[in-house]
Amino acid sequence: MIDGFLALYIFMLAAFTGYEIIARVPVILHTPLMSGSNFVHGIVVIGAMVALGHAQTPLEQAIGFAGVLLGAGNAAGGYVVTERMLDMFKASKNKERG
Amino acid sequence: MGTLLPGLIKASYFLAALLFIVGLKRMSSPRTARTGILWAGVGMLVAVAATFMLPGLHNRALMLTAIVLGTSAAWWSGRRVAMTAMPQMVALYNGMGGGAAAAIGLAELIAAAAWSNGHPGQCAFAAASTAACLAPSATVLAYVGLFIGAVSFAGSLIAFAKLQGWMDRRFVFAGQRALNGVILLAALALGAWTLATGFAAGAQVPLLAIVVFAVLALLLGLLMTLPIGGADMPVVISLYNAFTGLAVAFEGYVLQNEAMIIAGMVVGAAGTLLTQLMARAMNRSLGNVLFGSFGAAGGAAQTIAGAQKPIEAADAAVMMAYAERVAIVPGYGMAVAQAQHKVWEFAQALIARGVKVRFAIHPVAGRMPGHMNVLLAEAGVPYDLIADMDDINPEFPTTDVVLVIGANDVVNPVARTDPSSPIYGMPILDVASAKNVIVIKRGKGTGFAGIENALFYADNARMLYGDGQAAVASLVAELKAVDG
């Protein structure tokens, strides 16, 4: 059970972690990193799965289904776009062409 | 077996959270960035697989259908979109995440209220599945997460539509800000009322009230984003990215899911900082982006003396062929003209002649910080030839030729000299201090911000008129002719 102050501690430490990761990033990685963090909050899909798993009325099922659909889209789309961007970061020594 | 499976699932969530943090950390350096997304991706797979194993879940067929549909649609669209369209795709996927977080809040609150209404006096807002009462803090955070998620969902979709070019005008009307305020207050009041009714009085909570609350949040996200112009969209997308992270963290608390809490909070904090960095690079405050309107204020701009002096491609090619140092300043115009491949071909020809070539990138070149780097990388430009503004600015006085292609506002000296200019104070690439400047430009018009550029009238500047792609192609041809 995560409750009260324990949750506050987790919130605080996670926030500092996020802040520290970004703090010293070169500008050239801002867009890929924004896309990468966009992928990471795609974890919302597992919450939507739980919500759908608990759904009992058709209304709750519909909302849960929409949640899983959107969450899966966030995760998959975020991954593909980030991977495509990062694939382009190559140093001159290992470039394949010219 | 009874305790083994839940333990394994908890361990999987821990592993996922760890992989997300390590993955993001690796993504923050160019050398390790490509493997970073792989690490995070493995974390996601582990978390989803573990969640599917959770005991006591219903609707598994529906769940699988939604996952397959959502994944394949997003995968397909993400694969085939052009690199110039990346910013709006980030907005779209981010909006989906916000919508998912809002859906969790909505589903949990409705389920809890329905159970509570059916069991009067036991507790307000119980979690229907376990019949255990939802803590007051969890109920409040479910509302907050629903609100933030819905704002992010609606706002991101508008941002997507604007960047996609489906909606090219800003919607501004009198009293817009007051209306937003009223909607915000109405949502707060409604949320507080349902909470008070459920908790204090233990009375029935109408499910409709929760739905109306969500609709108000959607409306606010819509109205907040409509008046914001295209140039500010990157900052807004980054802000909504942080919003979605927070919403995910809050709904994670409601569901007692550690992976969601940690991943959401990390993104919330990282996204907030990233938003500030972006706003600072454009010399705008966040408040100004959200509530101001660009270029609305400002007095009469200084008039610029002199005339634009044209140059032919042949002369420009010779000038650069015999230069020692050349800096290339690309802007969004280059990307739109799809000229980045030609530009790299030209740069390679110069490098082959022994010219030292570097690409100078303004922090907000393109549509997002770092967007231009991605576009250049797509063309095959190695990242060690690319220089940041702070690195290259001291080098301009010793640079023989600066080739500006498709960039305008980021090289406008007016940002330093004219306090009445809307871009006054924005850090710029100081190309005017180079020995020669060649500007490739379609015509004599102004840039994105609609401001006259003093650089084009400078004594050491020459204009090469033409479409970006064609102009660079003729430079490549003329450079070949130099060698005969």
Side-chain angles (χ1 to χ4, degrees):
Chain A
M1 199 62 187
I2 320 156
D3 217 345
F5 277 98
L6 183 57
L8 265 181
Y9 280 115
I10 299 181
F11 279 139
M12 177 190 73
L13 292 173
F16 269 106
T17 308
Y19 190 90
E20 279 303 310
I21 287 173
I22 297 285
R24 283 177 301 274
V25 169
V27 176
I28 68 163
L29 281 170
H30 278 180
T31 295
L33 207 59
M34 176 163 127
S35 178
S37 58
N38 178 37
F39 162 69
V40 166
H41 68 52
I43 189 69
V44 69
V45 68
I46 69 171
M49 287 166 72
V50 172
L52 176 57
H54 291 168
Q56 282 163 341
T57 64
L59 175 67
E60 290 165 26
Q61 281 179 330
I63 298 171
F65 185 84
V68 177
L69 193 75
L70 291 172
N74 180 187
Y79 184 88
V80 171
V81 165
T82 311
E83 194 201 29
R84 281 185 59 193
M85 282 191 211
L86 290 176
D87 245 1
M88 292 164 184
F89 284 89
K90 296 170 184 133
S92 8
K93 35 184 173 314
N94 57 21
K95 67 180 181 224
E96 306 97 310
R97 54 194 169 127
Chain B
M1 189 57 211
T3 55
L4 182 64
L5 188 60
L8 271 179
I9 290 169
K10 288 270 173 197
S12 307
Y13 287 164
F14 176 81
L15 183 65
L18 182 71
L19 286 171
F20 286 151
I21 292 173
V22 174
L24 277 176
K25 182 72 201 160
R26 292 184 75 83
M27 273 185 248
S28 65
S29 158
R31 290 193 183 284
T32 53
R34 294 168 76 195
T35 54
I37 185 67
L38 283 176
W39 287 61
V42 171
M44 189 70 73
L45 285 178
V46 167
V48 170
T51 306
F52 206 75
M53 307 299 285
L54 268 178
L57 290 190
H58 308 286
N59 307 318
R60 281 180 209 265
L62 270 182
M63 208 181 285
L64 209 58
T65 313
I67 291 177
V68 170
L69 283 180
T71 304
S72 43
W75 196 275
W76 179 76
S77 61
R79 273 270 158 244
R80 60 185 286 277
V81 71
M83 287 309 285
T84 39
M86 284 294 161
Q88 55 262 46
M89 294 316 281
V90 174
L92 179 64
Y93 300 136
N94 176 57
M96 295 172 98
I104 295 171
L106 195 59
E108 291 297 308
L109 283 171
I110 286 180
W115 191 89
S116 175
N117 288 349
H119 303 72
Q122 295 200 21
C123 63
F125 294 110
S129 55
T130 57
C133 296
L134 211 55
S137 60
T139 316
V140 173
L141 283 189
Y143 270 107
V144 176
L146 165 58
F147 186 79
I148 301 176
V151 167
S152 170
F153 175 66
S156 297
L157 292 188
I158 297 295
F160 167 77
K162 286 201 169 203
L163 287 176
Q164 190 74 12
W166 292 351
M167 193 186 278
D168 46 6
R169 52 179 287 254
R170 298 164 51 195
F171 289 79
V172 189
F173 53 87
Q176 195 163 21
R177 224 175 289 176
L179 179 64
N180 289 356
V182 168
I183 295 174
L184 178 64
L185 284 179
L188 284 179
L190 187 61
W193 177 78
T194 49
L195 280 172
T197 312
F199 283 134
Q204 303 270 317
V205 176
L207 303 189
L208 189 64
I210 302 170
V211 176
V212 171
F213 177 80
V215 171
L216 284 176
L218 287 174
L219 203 59
L220 184 66
L222 192 80
L223 289 172
M224 257 174 72
T225 321
L226 278 175
I228 299 174
D232 284 329
M233 272 309 151
V235 180
V236 174
I237 295 172
S238 177
L239 181 72
Y240 287 148
N241 187 40
F243 272 19
T244 304
L246 283 180
V248 170
F250 292 158
E251 299 303 345
Y253 178 78
V254 176
L255 297 173
Q256 295 284 305
N257 184 313
E258 299 87 344
M260 279 173 73
I261 296 180
I262 291 173
M265 206 64 207
V266 165
V267 173
T272 305
L273 180 59
L274 203 54
T275 310
Q276 284 172 347
L277 291 177
M278 286 189 187
R280 203 179 303 152
M282 296 165 73
N283 197 39
R284 317 267 327 263
S285 76
L286 200 52
N288 198 321
V289 169
L290 288 177
F291 306 116
S293 45
F294 192 57
Q302 285 173 5
T303 47
I304 297 162
Q308 297 188 4
K309 296 165 284 292
I311 189 172
E312 292 302 316
D315 300 327
V318 170
M319 207 172 184
M320 284 184 274
Y322 293 102
E324 196 179 322
R325 282 167 177 275
V326 170
I328 300 176
V329 179
Y332 192 68
M334 178 198 76
V336 171
Q338 290 291 320
Q340 60 267 40
H341 296 273
K342 271 286 166 208
V343 168
W344 175 225
E345 190 186 334
F346 179 65
Q348 281 173 302
L350 285 177
I351 292 168
R353 296 183 57 91
V355 181
K356 291 199 184 94
V357 179
R358 292 190 84 184
F359 289 84
I361 310 280
H362 190 272
V364 293
R367 281 285 171 85
M368 265 188 206
H371 189 204
M372 189 54 61
N373 305 76
V374 172
L375 294 172
L376 287 177
E378 186 195 18
V381 180
Y383 68 74
D384 40 8
L385 289 187
I386 297 173
D388 286 351
M389 180 173 68
D390 294 335
D391 292 333
I392 195 114
N393 262 347
E395 291 184 16
F396 279 126
T398 57
T399 300
D400 301 297
V401 183
V402 173
L403 179 65
V404 177
I405 166 163
N408 192 339
D409 297 326
V410 298
V411 293
N412 193 345
V414 160
R416 290 189 171 179
T417 55
D418 184 359
S420 69
S421 170
I423 59 169
Y424 180 72
M426 181 175 88
I428 56 158
L429 287 163
D430 190 19
V431 300
S433 67
K435 289 169 192 159
N436 297 284
V437 181
I438 296 170
V439 181
I440 298 181
K441 207 169 170 305
R442 188 179 282 277
K444 293 191 181 185
T446 54
F448 203 71
I451 305 154
E452 197 60 75
N453 194 334
L455 174 73
F456 303 160
Y457 300 89
D459 288 336
N460 58 347
R462 295 289 180 274
M463 308 298 292
L464 180 56
Y465 293 114
D467 170 72
Q469 170 113 347
V472 181
S474 60
L475 280 179
V476 172
E478 296 294 347
L479 195 62
K480 284 202 182 102
V482 169
D483 296 320

